[in-house]
Amino acid sequence: MIIERGEETGGSHNLATLTYKAVSEMIRHRRLNGGDIIVEARLAETLGISRTPLREALQRLEGEGLVRKGDGRNYVVRRVDVGEYLQSLRLRKIIEPEAAALAMSAIPRKQLLAVRREIEDLMGGTAYHTDSHWFSDDNLHNMIIDHCGNEVMAQTLRDLRATTRLFEIARLKERLLPDSSEHLAIIEALSANDEEKVRETVAVHIQSLISFTRHHLGISAT
């Protein structure tokens, strides 16, 4: 992806934001893999930008846990192995149901309906698009995080989702129907103001991700 010079309108902050989105996309689509060293000069040339907005973008990605400082001055794409992934999901299974219960009364009805429509459109699509899947997933989970009313809990969940995102990119297409169905169940529970059902549907969804990973990697339950 080359950032067009016309996209720089709006100053250096806008360019850093565009750069952040571009590098995030490279990580999401595995053009930058876990463990890859990011050589700033080379990546800046690839994107058609200077190194200043790239550094700003990398600092933001470091704050989100997607890259880390390696030996020397270079950044490295964070590598998440299956052990860390499963441990992070188990922690999400403890925290996220409670976050959803706390968020239930604070989520605007209009937002619930919008997220539901996105999920239904995704399920009814004739072609699979990875970005649409991620977009729908982000909107459902971030809706819970943003409205839970507990910033410590919210930040913990943001960090855990950054970790699981780095691993679960693989085989994502196979998760479309399970994710969408489980997300709709969460929406139904939130819409009904059923606190017990909200906790249950969120826990079921995360357990589904754990079971899916164990099945495909041949990992026995512990």
Side-chain angles (χ1 to χ4, degrees), residues 32-109:
L32 286 171
N33 293 298
D36 282 356
I37 296 172
I38 297 174
V39 180
E40 289 185 11
R42 188 182 305 159
L43 184 55
E45 182 179 357
T46 298
L47 296 172
I49 58 170
S50 69
R51 291 171 68 175
T52 298
L54 177 58
R55 287 195 186 111
E56 291 181 31
L58 290 172
Q59 287 169 2
R60 181 174 170 183
L61 290 165
E62 182 183 23
E64 294 180 0
L66 296 180
V67 302
R68 60 174 178 78
K69 278 289 184 68
D71 296 332
R73 298 178 59 186
N74 289 323
Y75 285 92
V76 178
V77 180
R78 186 170 157 219
R79 188 196 303 275
V80 173
D81 63 22
V82 66
E84 184 179 5
Y85 173 71
L86 290 174
Q87 288 170 17
S88 297
L89 283 178
R90 290 187 188 108
L91 188 51
R92 277 182 60 187
K93 187 180 175 183
I94 295 169
I95 299 172
E96 198 163 347
E98 181 62 24
L102 290 171
M104 183 177 65
S105 61
I107 299 172
R109 179 69 52 171

Side-chain angles (χ1 to χ4, degrees), residues 148-159:
C148 74
N150 183 322
E151 189 49 44
V152 174
M153 179 183 285
Q155 189 56 54
T156 299
L157 285 170
R158 290 186 190 105
D159 293 343

Side-chain angles (χ1 to χ4, degrees), residues 1-219:
M1 174 181 179
I2 296 177
I3 298 174
E4 300 293 339
R5 305 312 271 179
E7 293 182 297
E8 294 183 25
T9 303
S12 60
H13 176 73
N14 186 55
L15 184 55
T17 299
L18 291 169
T19 305
Y20 159 80
K21 291 178 179 177
V23 180
S24 295
E25 183 178 303
M26 294 175 79
I27 294 171
R28 187 167 62 247
H29 291 290
R30 293 291 179 96
R31 292 193 290 274
L32 286 171
N33 293 298
D36 282 356
I37 296 172
I38 297 174
V39 180
E40 289 185 11
R42 188 182 305 159
L43 184 55
E45 182 179 357
T46 298
L47 296 172
I49 58 170
S50 69
R51 291 171 68 175
T52 298
L54 177 58
R55 287 195 186 111
E56 291 181 31
L58 290 172
Q59 287 169 2
R60 181 174 170 183
L61 290 165
E62 182 183 23
E64 294 180 0
L66 296 180
V67 302
R68 60 174 178 78
K69 278 289 184 68
D71 296 332
R73 298 178 59 186
N74 289 323
Y75 285 92
V76 178
V77 180
R78 186 170 157 219
R79 188 196 303 275
V80 173
D81 63 22
V82 66
E84 184 179 5
Y85 173 71
L86 290 174
Q87 288 170 17
S88 297
L89 283 178
R90 290 187 188 108
L91 188 51
R92 277 182 60 187
K93 187 180 175 183
I94 295 169
I95 299 172
E96 198 163 347
E98 181 62 24
L102 290 171
M104 183 177 65
S105 61
I107 299 172
R109 179 69 52 171
K110 184 177 180 180
Q111 188 174 3
L112 273 175
L113 292 173
V115 172
R116 180 200 291 274
R117 282 195 297 269
E118 289 167 0
I119 297 168
E120 290 172 345
D121 289 346
L122 188 63
M123 295 178 76
T126 56
Y128 177 78
H129 298 286
T130 300
D131 284 345
S132 296
H133 191 167
W134 279 129
F135 186 77
S136 174
D137 187 75
D138 280 343
N139 282 345
L140 184 282
H141 291 282
N142 288 341
M143 178 176 67
I144 290 170
I145 291 169
D146 292 343
H147 290 92
C148 74
N150 183 322
E151 189 49 44
V152 174
M153 179 183 285
Q155 189 56 54
T156 299
L157 285 170
R158 290 186 190 105
D159 293 343
L160 289 169
R161 275 184 54 76
T163 297
T164 54
R165 169 70 66 91
L166 285 169
F167 182 85
E168 68 187 9
I169 295 169
R171 310 185 76 110
L172 184 64
K173 185 176 181 179
E174 295 177 41
R175 285 295 311 176
L176 176 62
L177 289 179
D179 280 351
S180 298
S181 298
E182 292 157 14
H183 286 172
L184 284 176
I186 294 169
I187 292 290
E188 290 290 344
L190 289 167
S191 299
N193 289 312
D194 187 332
E195 195 171 303
E196 183 178 348
K197 194 68 174 177
V198 165
R199 288 191 176 94
E200 177 188 334
T201 53
V202 173
V204 164
H205 171 51
I206 297 172
Q207 181 58 50
S208 174
L209 292 168
I210 293 171
S211 299
F212 175 85
T213 303
R214 286 174 174 160
H215 173 73
H216 283 283
L217 296 181
I219 300 172

